[in-house]
Amino acid sequence: MMYNNDYTTMNRQEINKILEEIGLSTAEVSVYVALLDGSQSVQEIIKITNEKRPTVYYSLNSLEKRGLVSKTGKEYG
């Protein structure tokens, strides 16, 4: 299945359900979906998800350990 920002292939509820079924927490799901929507910084993710900064960092680390996201930017090359 494909994902795009218009949710034409899958809607947000379907995506959330699948992510929860594979074991992601509610916070991890909201952070992951924010990234899929184009968020590029922790500040953007916090604003979109209304999660607290430590929760966002914890979720990002967890998603990275699962191989679902990776760090990018000047600091990471």
Side-chain angles (χ1 to χ4, degrees):
M1 288 184 222
M2 299 290 293
Y3 171 86
N4 63 44
N5 287 342
D6 295 329
Y7 302 103
T8 54
T9 306
M10 297 179 71
N11 67 39
R12 184 179 297 268
Q13 290 174 337
E14 291 172 327
I15 293 168
N16 290 357
K17 182 180 176 187
I18 289 169
L19 293 173
E20 288 173 357
E21 286 176 356
I22 64 169
L24 270 60
S25 69
T26 303
E28 291 169 334
V29 169
S30 65
V31 168
Y32 190 72
V33 171
L35 292 168
L36 290 175
D37 284 339
S39 295
Q40 296 183 4
S41 70
V42 170
Q43 291 79 15
E44 289 175 337
I45 295 168
I46 291 168
K47 184 177 179 181
I48 290 169
T49 64
N50 293 317
E51 298 286 353
K52 297 187 183 304
R53 179 179 300 273
T55 303
V56 170
Y57 276 108
Y58 179 84
S59 296
L60 287 169
N61 286 330
S62 177
L63 292 168
E64 183 179 27
K65 286 178 185 176
R66 293 173 182 260
L68 297 172
V69 300
S70 62
K71 296 175 183 172
T72 61
K74 292 179 186 176
E75 182 177 343
Y76 304 103

